[in-house]
Every structure is written in structure tokens, then in C-alpha cells.
């Protein structure tokens, strides 16, 4: 498959004064050139690209030079550019209504529930790093402040938890809008599990603290 780069050139005709023209061109790019263009837009370091896992239905990161693959972004990524790129090109596009409808159309596992969450880590988290940052240095108080701001926006109806999770969650589930799928007793950390099971379908929790950080949880089913 050939990739084309669209370009427009404006010029003034030397024969017809004051008449300008715009010429649209489609320039064919080689595979290497196309990859370089996408890499620049994604914010990834040289040789890294985003691919999609058909088995897990999730994007992952692949180094075309070393053949290394990983779920977390490689060191040296431009996090802001990557967040924008992933939200635009590799977002799961989930929202509470769509997720609930999808769940209703399938078979719910016995004794299990389905939730989405948004995680904000801090320097005392069990693993103070994420796909967004190699090293997280914010305090727990700052993390709670961020989370409460997100909670306020969600409760006001400005944005859904799934939309915020895609760009703001420190959990790798951000790729799926924070959707954790179905889980049952014993599958999650105790504090998270207790808060999630206490919610009604469609209800949003307040801040929940675990060893991973602080969470907002919304129950889907």
C-alpha cells in the first residue's frame, strides 16, 4: 500500500496579474517515510511505533529496529504528544452508556461486576511510574487534589470517566477508557474491591485509596 502526503502550493500567475492559484499535490511516501511521519506525530522515540494486538484488542509499542514489544511507552516519549495521538488514533471510544449496553447484550459472569476507574499515582504508590511518566513525584495530597477535580467535572456532566481516563489515568487501562472488564471477589486490591461492590450500577465513587494510588470508580454492571 502506498501512502500519500497531501500538500498545497499557492502561486501568482505571471501572465494574469493579481490572479493566484492553489495547486494540490499528493506526494507518494515510502514505508519508511510514512513511519517517520507517524512517529513524529506520536511523540515516540526513533524506531518506535504503535501497533494493535488482535488477541487482546489493545495497542502496544513496537521497536522496528530491536523487535522489542511492550505495553508501556518507551523511555524518552513525548508524553503530551503521545496522549493526544493515542486519544485520536487508538482510543477504545468507550463511554458508560455504550459499555452498559454491550454488557447487557452478553452473558454476565456469575458473581462478577464490571467497572471503569481513573487512577492517579503519587510518589508513595507501590509503583510510582506509568505510561504517562517514567517517575511520578507528586505527593498523595496533590494526587487527591487532582482526583477531586476530575470527580467534580464528571459529576457536573462536563466529561465522562472513560473520556478522562484515556488521557489522565496512570493505569494501563487508560487505553480502554479505564474499563477493567468483569472481576469478582479476590481479583482486586481489598480497598478497591469493597468500594466497587458497594456501588450501584451507574454510580460513581468518591476517592478510593489503595497501594497503587487514588482512584475514582464507576460501576457499569
Amino acid at each position: 500500500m502506498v501512502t500519500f502526503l497531501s500538500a498545497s502550493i499557492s502561486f501568482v500567475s505571471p501572465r494574469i496579474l493579481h490572479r493566484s492559484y492553489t495547486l494540490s499535490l499528493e506526494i507518494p511516501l515510502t514505508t519508511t517515510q510514512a513511519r517517520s511521519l507517524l512517529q513524529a506525530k506520536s511523540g515516540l522515540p526513533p524506531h518506535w511505533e504503535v501497533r494493535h494486538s488482535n488477541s487482546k484488542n489493545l495497542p502496544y509499542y513496537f521497536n522496528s529496529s530491536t523487535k522489542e514489544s511492550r505495553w508501556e511507552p518507551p523511555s524518552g516519549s513525548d508524553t503530551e504528544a503521545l496522549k493526544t495521538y493515542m486519544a485520536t488514533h487508538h482510543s477504545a471510544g468507550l463511554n458508560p452508556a455504550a459499555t452498559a449496553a454491550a454488557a447487557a447484550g452478553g452473558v454476565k459472569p456469575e458473581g462478577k461486576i464490571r467497572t471503569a476507574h481513573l487512577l492517579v499515582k503519587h510518589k508513595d504508590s507501590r509503583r510510582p511510574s506509568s505510561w504517562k511518566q517514567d517517575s511520578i513525584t507528586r505527593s498523595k495530597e496533590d494526587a487527591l487534589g487532582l482526583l477531586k477535580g476530575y470527580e467534580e467535572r464528571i459529576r457536573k456532566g462536563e466529561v465522562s470517566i472513560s473520556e478522562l481516563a484515556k488521557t489522565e489515568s496512570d493505569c494501563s487501562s487508560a487505553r480502554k477508557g479505564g474499563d477493567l472488564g468483569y472481576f469478582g471477589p479476590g481479583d482486586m486490591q481489598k480497598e478497591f474491591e469493597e468500594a466497587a461492590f458497594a456501588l450501584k450500577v451507574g454510580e460513581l465513587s468518591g476517592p478510593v485509596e489503595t497501594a497503587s494510588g487514588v482512584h475514582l470508580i464507576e460501576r457499569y454492571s
Side-chain angles (χ1 to χ4, degrees):
M1 183 178 69
V2 179
T3 302
F4 290 88
L5 173 65
S6 297
S8 296
I9 301 174
S10 297
F11 63 94
V12 177
S13 170
R15 295 186 178 181
I16 307 176
L17 297 178
H18 310 300
R19 179 69 60 87
S20 62
Y21 296 87
T22 300
L23 177 65
S24 296
L25 302 175
E26 286 194 339
I27 306 170
L29 301 178
T30 65
T31 300
T32 300
Q33 289 172 326
R35 282 180 176 172
S36 297
L37 185 61
L38 286 174
Q39 178 187 303
K41 294 174 68 176
S42 70
L44 292 171
H47 306 299
W48 285 95
E49 59 190 74
V50 182
R51 293 190 176 184
H52 194 85
S53 167
N54 292 326
S55 60
K56 294 185 179 293
N57 194 30
L58 286 172
Y60 65 96
Y61 303 95
F62 179 77
N63 188 306
S64 59
S65 176
T66 65
K67 308 305 179 185
E68 176 190 354
S69 59
R70 54 189 296 171
W71 295 109
E72 300 293 332
S75 178
S77 298
D78 181 332
T79 55
E80 290 304 314
L82 183 57
K83 282 199 297 183
T84 301
Y85 178 83
M86 295 301 286
T88 303
H89 299 284
H90 293 275
S91 167
L94 298 176
N95 58 61
T99 305
V107 179
K108 177 183 174 182
E110 187 68 28
K112 296 191 175 186
I113 64 173
R114 188 174 187 175
T115 71
H117 82 134
L118 191 161
L119 169 66
V120 179
K121 291 186 176 184
H122 49 79
K123 64 181 181 180
D124 297 317
S125 293
R126 180 172 58 184
R127 190 173 70 86
S129 63
S130 74
W131 66 276
K132 294 169 59 182
Q133 290 177 260
D134 290 334
S135 178
I136 295 173
T137 58
R138 72 172 69 95
S139 67
K140 179 195 258 187
E141 291 71 26
D142 287 342
L144 278 168
L146 283 172
L147 198 74
K148 288 178 180 177
Y150 299 148
E151 179 186 5
E152 183 178 0
R153 292 184 62 195
I154 294 169
R155 294 195 187 280
K156 284 182 177 179
E158 294 178 4
V159 67
S160 69
I161 190 171
S162 62
E163 290 170 325
L164 269 180
K166 293 170 194 172
T167 57
E168 307 304 330
S169 180
D170 286 316
C171 179
S172 58
S173 65
R175 302 185 191 94
K176 300 181 71 176
D179 186 4
L180 295 173
Y182 287 105
F183 61 88
D187 292 337
M188 298 290 179
Q189 295 175 66
K190 182 181 178 181
E191 301 88 346
F192 188 99
E193 180 184 305
E194 290 177 348
F197 272 86
L199 294 171
K200 297 176 182 178
V201 175
E203 186 179 4
L204 178 72
S205 75
V208 176
E209 296 184 26
T210 71
S212 297
V214 290
H215 314 247
L216 287 177
I217 309 170
E218 183 170 326
R219 182 168 172 176
Y220 284 168
S221 68

